[in-house]
Amino acid sequence: MTLNDALKEYCLRIADNSSILAHRLSEWSGHGPILEEDIAMSNMALDLIGQARGFYSYAATLEGKGRTEDDLAFRRDTREFVSRNLVEQPDNKDFGTAMLRSFLYSCLSYLQFRALMNSKDETISGLSAKAIKEVTYHVRHCGDWVVRLGDGTEESHRRISNSVEDLWMYTSELFEQNEVDALLVKEGVAVDLNTLKQDWLNLVDEIFAQAKLTKPAEGGYQSSGGINGMHTEHLGYILAEMQFLPRAYPDAIW
Amino acid sequence: MHFVNRNLANPKQTSNIGMETTLSVEELNKREAEFDAKIAGGKTIEPKDWMPERYRKQLLRMMSQHAHSEVVGMLPEGNWITRAPSLARKAVLLAKVQDEAGHGLYIYSAAETLGMDRSEMIDQLLSGKAKYSSIFNYPTLSWADIGAIGWLVDGAAIVNQTVLAKCSYGPYSRAMLRICKEENFHNKQGYQIMAYLMRGTKEQRDMAQDAMNRFWWPALMMFGPSDTNSPNSADLMKWKVKLNSNDDLRQRFIDRTVPQAEAIGLRIPDDKLKWNESTRHYEFGEINWAEFNQVISGNGPCNKLRMKQRTDAHNNGAWVREAAAAYSAKKAASKK
């Protein structure tokens, strides 16, 4: 694997995570628990689409085959998607699950972008410097809701606790790495995710403590393989919906 | 968390509700004369000013209906966000639907100055007591419908709202000024979607024409019944809540939209449409008012679906709003 290939793959990973999570958040448009949250969730989805566009475009440039950001988002199948399985998980219109999913992912994304601001690759550091401001807000906004729901009513505590049980199995996968990371970390382009794990746990523990939530006991099933294209059944449906028009009308320009 | 507190609080009495009962007939007449003079002199009415009860009620009806339309209007377009055909189109559509949530919020706040809480207005929507624009009871069946809505529906809204920006009630007129700026962007993005489709493949052109065929007449109905059949018009005109007749605004919309359709090769689905050189206006065919009356009375293609979607969102969010309220109450108690 060349450095160029590795960098392209790394960008695809960030872009895929952003576009899939944006898809999940945008499903809430018009269906939020209160208008202010409709606006906030759309805001986060818009930030993520912007991040996806930046990283897809860079991946397309690195690839050098004339593909565009849209080709990468709309013309790749599930096994080619390298997003983390957490972001594709459905929330079934449970607001707490949606907030927790974004919170758990954004904590990693925040730490990763913070580190990538010092990447030796200027495009990566530039895109990260822009994204960090957005993701800082996502961590705060979603974390605030996790606290409110955890320490709100009996029902909200029960519901967000169930969300923790449902989503926790997708958290250790957030830190999985492969040869792409090994190569890029060595070159000072990427960050070793193992070095972020404790900080991520601290962010999560702090919010969980305020929310009076406990982490599930260790030893249960943990999902694996998103970065190698191994996904849950949900991603296929997301892509079927998201890619429908460009796939059905391959010659069309929109 | 101000919004949660606001939902739980009693409606704030920020206007003159109930004051009439304490006023003598002479005093009432005097105030009404002053009020009429103020409006005739082109001054705006502000929340703390005295106003006739009928003025307050009419405005509240119009403004809450307008806010509900923004919020229900998120649904047909929201239907295509996850299927938008490019990342750029997705971002624009998401931002547009988000703007509508913002408009809803803004108009609800302006309407609250007339003495009704947002949660009460929402209850009226969900119970079917309050109305919203009939246009949102039509389905969005293809991507071209998103173009048609932005171009035609927002285009019609702009014609209405540009006039409302000059209405006599200050908070409403200021809300309209701001909203019109965003609606112009919505209108352009819709027209751009249509223009791209019309210069695309045959399938895309057919998609655009089909959307035009389905949305043209409902868009014309958005201006409301012909003036001879508009029950609220006379009072609203006198109070400068309404400055032009429904028919005038409809004509204005048609006159500016027909050339736009022609420019990109879309056919207007009206055999009677023709330019009248002497009036300098387009003549057009008969609007199907029977259909309009059916849709506003609850029998349109999507009335049930839209109300179910709003009701579900409201009910599914109840535990969230309760949790937020309970949490702020706990925090407030621990500060004491």
Side-chain angles (χ1 to χ4, degrees), chain A residues 106-125:
Chain A
S106 305
C107 284
L108 174 69
S109 171
Y110 164 77
L111 294 168
Q112 191 180 11
F113 283 132
R114 197 176 65 175
L116 289 178
M117 284 164 67
N118 300 316
S119 168
K120 282 193 179 154
D121 184 281
E122 277 181 13
T123 307
I124 297 275
S125 66

Side-chain angles (χ1 to χ4, degrees), chain A residues 23-229:
Chain A
H23 183 99
R24 283 296 187 213
L25 281 167
S26 68
E27 289 174 335
W28 281 84
S29 182
H31 305 279
I34 191 159
L35 265 179
E36 284 83 347
E37 278 314 299
D38 257 298
I39 294 172
M41 289 169 105
S42 298
N43 246 341
M44 293 191 281
L46 279 167
D47 289 342
L48 290 164
I49 291 171
Q51 290 165 21
R53 293 182 71 185
F55 283 95
Y56 278 137
S57 296
Y58 189 36
T61 309
L62 291 162
E63 185 184 64
K65 288 182 184 163
R67 289 208 286 181
T68 64
E69 59 177 41
D70 287 330
D71 292 329
L72 294 174
F74 295 93
R75 314 260 174 148
R76 285 153 64 236
D77 205 346
T78 45
R79 294 286 274 121
E80 296 167 86
F81 262 69
V82 286
S83 44
R84 310 279 173 184
N85 288 329
L86 173 66
V87 294
E88 72 204 42
Q89 294 313 304
D91 50 52
N92 302 312
K93 289 287 182 298
D94 180 288
F95 180 74
T97 303
M99 285 297 112
L100 181 69
R101 181 183 56 208
S102 278
F103 172 71
L104 294 171
Y105 175 73
S106 305
C107 284
L108 174 69
S109 171
Y110 164 77
L111 294 168
Q112 191 180 11
F113 283 132
R114 197 176 65 175
L116 289 178
M117 284 164 67
N118 300 316
S119 168
K120 282 193 179 154
D121 184 281
E122 277 181 13
T123 307
I124 297 275
S125 66
L127 289 170
S128 302
K130 181 173 180 291
I132 190 84
K133 292 177 201 142
E134 299 161 348
V135 175
T136 304
Y137 163 75
H138 302 183
V139 170
R140 196 182 67 218
H141 187 77
C142 300
D144 282 352
W145 272 110
V146 171
V147 172
R148 274 183 212 119
L149 298 176
D151 190 20
T153 60
E154 230 170 85
E155 185 190 5
S156 70
H157 181 79
R158 178 179 56 74
R159 292 179 71 138
I160 189 85
S161 300
N162 288 342
S163 307
V164 173
E165 289 293 330
D166 290 343
L167 294 180
W168 195 256
M169 69 170 87
Y170 302 100
T171 52
S172 63
E173 193 211 326
L174 293 174
F175 298 91
E176 281 184 353
Q177 306 187 93
N178 58 19
E179 68 275 15
V180 168
D181 302 77
L183 193 62
L184 296 177
V185 169
K186 203 173 71 187
E187 297 293 328
V189 172
V191 54
D192 181 355
L193 295 180
N194 288 316
T195 65
L196 305 179
K197 194 155 193 178
Q198 192 54 52
D199 286 342
W200 181 85
L201 270 174
N202 293 345
L203 286 172
V204 172
D205 283 343
E206 192 192 323
I207 289 297
F208 275 28
Q210 289 178 49
K212 302 183 174 145
L213 290 170
T214 45
K215 288 182 299 207
E218 280 183 40
Y221 170 77
Q222 279 290 333
S223 164
S224 170
I227 57 168
N228 297 317

Side-chain angles (χ1 to χ4, degrees), chain B residues 80-335:
Chain B
W80 278 88
I81 292 173
T82 55
R83 289 177 291 170
S86 72
L87 291 170
R89 291 272 179 232
K90 193 189 288 284
V92 170
L93 181 58
L94 193 50
K96 177 186 191 294
V97 177
Q98 185 192 36
D99 281 349
E100 279 149 17
H103 296 173
L105 204 52
Y106 206 55
I107 305 170
Y108 278 132
S109 301
E112 281 186 326
T113 63
L114 292 164
M116 189 185 281
D117 197 60
R118 193 205 318 179
S119 58
E120 199 180 331
M121 288 183 250
I122 290 172
D123 287 345
Q124 289 189 347
L125 170 70
L126 298 181
S127 71
K129 194 180 162 202
K131 299 259 186 271
Y132 56 90
S133 177
S134 59
I135 192 78
F136 303 119
N137 291 315
Y138 291 88
T140 49
L141 304 176
S142 80
W143 172 251
D145 292 10
I146 300 308
I149 289 182
W151 172 42
L152 300 175
V153 175
D154 289 67
I158 289 169
V159 170
N160 262 326
Q161 291 170 5
T162 308
V163 178
L164 281 172
K166 294 174 204 141
C167 81
S168 61
Y169 191 55
Y172 197 24
S173 102
R174 289 189 288 274
M176 287 306 106
L177 271 181
R178 180 169 137 170
I179 287 170
C180 277
K181 285 185 193 144
E182 291 179 350
E183 297 285 9
N184 277 315
F185 148 75
H186 298 171
N187 180 242
K188 279 185 194 131
Q189 67 89 34
Y191 189 61
Q192 195 201 35
I193 288 174
M194 293 306 249
Y196 266 68
L197 292 173
M198 288 309 287
R199 67 182 193 216
T201 63
K202 177 172 186 309
E203 287 152 318
Q204 285 178 299
R205 291 196 300 278
D206 290 349
M207 203 185 270
Q209 185 62 54
D210 175 56
M212 179 75 182
N213 295 348
R214 284 182 289 110
F215 276 95
W216 174 254
W217 291 103
L220 298 191
M221 294 176 199
M222 282 175 70
F223 295 93
S226 188
D227 299 315
T228 46
N229 297 316
S230 183
N232 299 313
S233 281
D235 271 355
L236 297 178
M237 298 268 258
K238 183 183 97 182
W239 289 324
K240 291 191 185 167
V241 169
K242 195 169 164 175
L243 293 104
N244 297 76
S245 75
N246 293 351
D247 287 332
D248 285 350
L249 295 177
R250 185 164 19 243
Q251 187 69 54
R252 193 179 293 181
F253 170 74
I254 292 170
D255 288 347
R256 67 189 245 174
T257 308
V258 172
Q260 293 172 355
E262 285 170 352
I264 56 174
L266 277 168
R267 193 178 53 78
I268 305 278
D270 178 357
D271 294 337
K272 298 204 170 111
L273 187 95
K274 68 165 191 240
W275 176 250
N276 183 325
E277 192 57 46
S278 60
T279 61
R280 310 289 298 163
H281 290 298
Y282 282 95
E283 292 171 6
F284 56 98
E286 185 62 26
I287 291 171
N288 185 347
W289 292 116
E291 176 184 319
F292 174 77
N293 287 328
Q294 280 294 306
V295 176
I296 59 165
S297 61
N299 300 318
C302 295
N303 296 59
K304 282 205 167 63
L305 175 65
R306 299 294 178 240
M307 287 314 289
K308 183 180 181 328
Q309 289 169 318
R310 282 314 315 156
T311 306
D312 285 352
H314 189 72
N315 293 344
N316 290 342
W319 70 277
V320 175
R321 296 188 298 274
E322 284 158 17
Y327 179 78
S328 9
K330 279 187 206 176
K331 288 289 126 181
S334 70
K335 268 185 197 156

Side-chain angles (χ1 to χ4, degrees), chain A residues 225-236:
Chain A
I227 57 168
N228 297 317
M230 281 296 293
H231 291 279
T232 62
E233 291 177 346
H234 307 293
L235 185 64

